[in-house]
Amino acid sequence: MAKAALHERQQELLQAERRLASELQECLSGFAGADVQTETLRQVTATLENLFLLVIVGEFNAGKSALINALLRREVMEEGVLPTTHQIAILRYDEQHTVHERENRILEVSYPADFLQNISIVDTPGVNAVLREHEQLTEDFIPRSDLIMFITSVDRPFTQSEKLFLERIRAWGKKVIIVLNKIDLLRHKADLAKLLHFIHDNCKHLLGFQPEVFPVSALKARQAQEAAGEQAIALWEESRFGKLEEYMFQTLDADERIRLKFLSPLGVMQRILGQTQSAVEKRSKLLAEDARTVHTIEEQLELYREDMESNFTHRLGEIENIVLDMHVRGNNFFDDTIRLGRIFDLIKSDRIRQEFEHEVIGDSATRIDAAVQELIDWMVEQEHKLWQNVMDYLERRRQMSVRSDEDMIGSVSRQFDYNRRALLQAVARQAHGVVQTYNRQAEAEELSQDLRYAVTQAAIAGAGGIGLGAAIVAFVGTAAADVSGILAGAVLLSLGLYIIPARRKKAKRDFDLKIEALRKRLHGVMQEQFQRELRGSMQRVRESIAPYTRFVRTEQKRVEMSQARLNEIGQGIADLRTDIEGPNAAKEMPEQVEQEEDMAYHHAVVKPQHYQGL
């Protein structure tokens, strides 16, 4: 295998990380900020084949540039008491010392330091809040680093801005070392011990692990490099810079650089994965609330149905009671009329019919029509209240949703949020429109016509277009025809003692059958018509929320699939991290000498496009 090619083991790791990054990019689709995160993933995976990237961060005047100059043994980077580093500076190897300004406010500095053949250094603006654009530049560059060197100083150790910045660094899962600069300002060794203890405690709390901490004096290191003899040795010892160089040039050898370089994208992926999982979880909770909204409306519809059916039974009973009252009066009429003492009245059919209509039917038709109209008005009013309740509930839900979504900016995709809001608002508007345009009189008239037609046509054969009450009493009134004129004629007069009781009994029996048949038919037809209207009311509400309901169901399925996929990716990242950090990982890595040769070769090959896109 040619030296230019990555070793087989490295190639496997590279492909595995690229595959996980690609899968994570697919899951990012549909979430706010996905473009930025996708670009970050692309950049960090692309840097796997570039040189090891050391990013130096810290507040301005902490001594970042001075420390770099001490490593280079020459004042290559500008120093000063003001924030001199106003842009990202990339320091890389070249046989000549050159400075070029690139696009995106990036300064490219070349210098012939041997260690730069394997490590590129990025000097960043201070993380102080004094120059916010500097802080943004620094934070944007963190994901691309393989190792972060955080510089703080004894005169201002672990300021609030440094603590906040370290908290943000922790989320990227990067390897961090701490350099405590300017120890030459301390008068007593005990002060240094206190500061180191303070830094260790804060790092453990902020980063979740104990990083290496190097106390140095970049100033005395530079003085030592410029001095000679015993003075140079003394200054170098006082600077304590040797420990940092030992870490940079020996501990951070080829094996360790390769390991950190392959771990670096995993930290970025874990951060983005966590953000995406959090966004998906928020979306899931939001959809769960939406599902509860739909479920609540459905529960209200069922309660509406139960209440309507219960009240309808009572109101229908009132109409039936009017018919039953006619039944009682009819039986009393037959007992009082069809008897021997009124034999001469029975001959007069017109008179008997008039008495029947007056005493039995009376104002029943008016009472039935009034009861039916009251029933109709009640049904119309209840449907109006149903829409009003739905509208009020959706409006409250919409307002609550707006407040909760304000806390989710950047987490839920704009398209998802737009679709959800639009559907919720559309349902609320539709309910509002129904309530505002609901014409009780027109609805009542339409329902009245439907109900009267159904009852008169199905229950009262031949009733035609007459009123419901009139149709009912017309049906009952046919009983009078069975009584009137039954004793007309002299022959029948002699048989009155035998005919009259038989006729009365038959008339009452027929009347009972007519009344019972009428009651059953009336109950059945009105119940059927009522159920039809009730179903129609509920169906109209369900149809109004159907787009919203379908959206919630579809998105919930999509969220479940996303959660399962993200969990798989998370497990893949964890497994790959274990593989890289595991006890066998070092043995599987190529020999150090071969790696150094590969790095030098790779540097030569990719030199023209170093840090493209940074």
Side-chain angles (χ1 to χ4, degrees):
M1 183 179 294
K3 292 293 185 181
L6 289 173
H7 289 276
E8 183 178 352
R9 178 58 183 147
Q10 296 176 10
Q11 191 66 255
E12 291 175 358
L13 294 174
L14 181 63
Q15 294 303 320
E17 293 199 8
R18 284 177 172 169
R19 184 180 64 255
L20 287 171
S22 176
E23 292 174 357
L24 183 54
Q25 287 177 20
E26 291 179 5
C27 291
L28 292 175
S29 177
F31 289 93
D35 293 342
V36 175
Q37 293 175 327
T38 297
E39 177 61 18
T40 299
L41 285 171
R42 187 196 67 77
Q43 290 176 350
V44 297
T45 52
T47 58
L48 282 168
E49 298 183 67
N50 290 342
L51 290 181
F52 187 86
L53 198 61
L54 170 66
V55 176
I56 298 180
V57 296
E59 288 194 342
F60 76 86
N61 206 30
K64 299 190 301 298
S65 298
L67 186 137
I68 294 175
N69 290 335
L71 287 173
L72 297 173
R73 286 171 165 72
R74 182 178 173 183
E75 192 169 331
V76 176
M77 310 301 293
E78 183 182 359
E79 301 179 34
V81 296
L82 295 176
T84 53
T85 305
H86 60 281
Q87 57 189 145
I88 294 288
I90 301 175
L91 185 62
R92 63 179 184 84
Y93 178 82
D94 199 293
E95 293 180 357
Q96 300 295 324
H97 178 201
T98 58
V99 178
H100 299 287
E101 186 165 356
R102 292 173 47 187
E103 297 179 358
N104 301 324
R105 302 175 63 184
I106 293 177
L107 197 67
E108 191 173 272
V109 181
S110 300
Y111 188 74
D114 290 343
F115 73 89
L116 291 179
Q117 295 185 59
N118 297 317
I119 299 176
S120 292
I121 297 176
V122 177
D123 188 17
T124 62
V127 300
N128 311 50
V130 175
L131 298 174
R132 291 293 183 183
E133 66 275 14
H134 291 184
E135 184 178 1
Q136 186 62 46
L137 277 173
T138 301
E139 292 186 2
D140 288 347
F141 217 87
I142 293 302
R144 311 167 198 182
S145 63
D146 297 311
L147 174 67
I148 295 175
M149 182 182 290
F150 192 87
I151 313 296
T152 187
S153 61
V154 299
D155 52 342
R156 298 182 63 192
F158 261 47
T159 63
Q160 184 63 27
S161 63
E162 289 178 327
K163 291 178 181 178
L164 293 174
F165 189 73
L166 278 174
E167 288 178 348
R168 289 192 284 269
I169 288 178
R170 178 179 61 176
W172 290 105
K174 298 291 183 177
K175 170 75 173 178
V176 180
I177 63 172
I178 307 292
V179 175
L180 176 62
N181 194 20
K182 302 183 182 181
I183 61 173
D184 53 285
L185 299 179
L186 298 175
R187 296 183 179 182
H188 306 288
K189 291 184 178 180
D191 294 336
L192 178 58
K194 291 179 181 178
L195 280 175
L196 291 175
H197 181 73
F198 173 75
I199 291 174
H200 276 288
D201 286 348
N202 276 273
C203 286
K204 186 175 182 180
H205 173 70
L206 292 174
L207 303 178
F209 64 93
Q210 194 66 72
E212 290 97 337
V213 180
F214 298 93
V216 301
S217 170
L219 174 62
K220 290 202 171 185
R222 286 291 295 126
Q223 290 174 348
Q225 293 161 2
E226 295 174 354
E230 295 183 356
Q231 183 184 13
I233 296 174
L235 287 170
W236 185 254
E237 292 294 329
E238 291 176 8
S239 73
R240 301 183 66 165
F241 210 78
K243 291 289 184 181
L244 179 60
E245 285 195 341
E246 181 182 346
Y247 176 85
M248 290 288 299
F249 305 138
Q250 297 181 28
T251 305
L252 198 63
D253 59 10
D255 286 336
E256 181 65 9
R257 290 197 302 272
I258 290 292
R259 190 181 73 86
L260 291 178
K261 176 162 282 291
F262 277 109
L263 287 174
S264 180
L266 297 184
V268 175
M269 281 190 274
Q270 282 182 317
R271 173 186 169 90
I272 294 176
L273 175 70
Q275 292 175 335
T276 308
Q277 286 177 320
S278 177
V280 170
E281 181 62 26
K282 288 180 179 179
R283 180 179 290 190
S284 177
K285 291 180 179 179
L286 194 63
L287 288 169
E289 289 296 324
D290 291 333
R292 278 192 285 273
T293 297
V294 174
H295 181 68
T296 299
I297 293 176
E298 189 60 39
E299 285 182 333
Q300 292 301 312
L301 287 176
E302 287 302 313
L303 291 174
Y304 169 76
R305 181 185 60 78
E306 293 174 5
D307 291 343
M308 289 291 287
E309 288 178 346
S310 176
N311 280 278
F312 176 77
T313 300
H314 171 71
R315 292 174 180 273
L316 182 57
E318 293 179 350
I319 298 174
E320 291 180 344
N321 286 338
I322 299 174
V323 177
L324 293 177
D325 285 344
M326 287 192 296
H327 182 206
V328 173
R329 292 196 301 271
N331 281 323
N332 292 336
F333 174 82
F334 291 138
D335 288 338
D336 185 62
T337 304
I338 306 177
R339 54 189 177 87
L340 188 60
R342 297 196 61 182
I343 192 170
F344 293 105
D345 292 331
L346 292 174
I347 298 173
K348 303 173 182 178
S349 59
D350 290 339
R351 180 177 179 178
I352 294 299
R353 184 176 290 108
Q354 290 175 2
E355 288 183 4
F356 182 86
E357 292 176 354
H358 175 73
E359 297 180 15
V360 177
I361 296 176
D363 60 351
S364 296
T366 303
R367 291 174 59 197
I368 289 174
D369 285 338
V372 170
Q373 187 60 50
E374 186 178 346
L375 172 64
I376 291 170
D377 292 340
W378 168 76
M379 291 176 64
V380 170
E381 181 64 24
Q382 292 306 304
E383 181 174 3
H384 178 261
K385 287 182 178 180
L386 172 64
W387 279 101
Q388 182 73 50
N389 291 336
V390 171
M391 182 192 71
D392 292 343
Y393 176 72
L394 287 173
E395 180 62 23
R396 290 194 303 271
R397 174 67 186 130
R398 188 186 65 81
Q399 292 177 357
M400 291 174 60
S401 175
V402 170
R403 288 195 297 270
S404 64
D405 289 351
E406 290 174 353
D407 299 329
M408 298 174 59
I409 295 175
S411 297
V412 179
S413 74
R414 295 181 179 87
Q415 188 61 44
F416 168 84
D417 185 58
Y418 174 79
N419 291 342
R420 180 182 165 277
R421 287 176 184 266
L423 287 169
L424 190 58
Q425 290 172 356
V427 174
R429 282 197 303 269
Q430 184 171 351
H432 180 75
V434 171
V435 172
Q436 294 299 314
T437 61
Y438 204 83
N439 189 325
R440 290 179 175 85
Q441 183 177 355
E443 293 290 337
E445 289 178 357
E446 182 178 352
L447 179 58
S448 176
Q449 291 176 2
D450 292 343
L451 186 60
R452 291 175 189 275
Y453 178 82
V455 173
T456 56
Q457 294 302 310
I460 317 296
I466 64 175
L468 180 58
I472 292 173
V473 299
F475 181 78
V476 175
T478 58
D482 297 334
V483 180
S484 60
I486 60 174
L487 298 180
V491 176
L492 295 179
L493 184 61
S494 64
L495 300 176
L497 294 175
Y498 303 100
I499 293 177
I500 291 176
R503 280 300 183 98
R504 181 174 61 242
K505 184 176 181 179
K506 182 179 183 302
K508 292 177 67 173
R509 183 173 62 252
D510 292 344
F511 186 69
D512 290 344
L513 292 175
K514 286 178 180 288
I515 289 293
E516 181 60 20
L518 174 63
R519 189 193 67 78
K520 288 182 178 180
R521 291 178 184 176
L522 182 64
H523 181 93
V525 173
M526 293 193 70
Q527 181 72 34
E528 180 182 351
Q529 186 69 11
F530 165 76
Q531 289 293 340
R532 184 181 297 112
E533 294 295 329
L534 180 60
R535 288 193 298 270
S537 297
M538 297 172 64
Q539 185 61 26
R540 284 188 286 273
V541 173
R542 289 191 175 104
E543 288 176 354
S544 72
I545 65 172
Y548 182 60
T549 302
R550 288 193 295 269
F551 171 80
V552 172
R553 287 201 303 265
T554 301
E555 289 298 324
Q556 281 184 317
K557 291 180 180 178
R558 189 172 298 168
V559 162
E560 289 175 0
M561 294 176 60
S562 296
Q563 288 175 323
R565 190 72 190 104
L566 290 171
N567 288 338
E568 291 178 3
I569 295 173
Q571 187 60 52
I573 294 174
D575 292 343
L576 189 56
R577 178 178 288 276
T578 300
D579 194 14
I580 295 173
E581 292 182 332
N584 298 324
K587 296 180 181 179
E588 294 173 351
M589 288 294 179
E591 293 296 326
Q592 177 177 341
V593 175
E594 292 182 347
Q595 286 185 350
E596 293 288 0
E597 292 174 351
D598 283 344
M599 279 295 188
Y601 181 92
H602 180 69
H603 171 72
V605 172
V606 301
K607 180 179 176 180
Q609 54 183 3
H610 263 173
Y611 307 105
Q612 182 176 358
L614 290 177

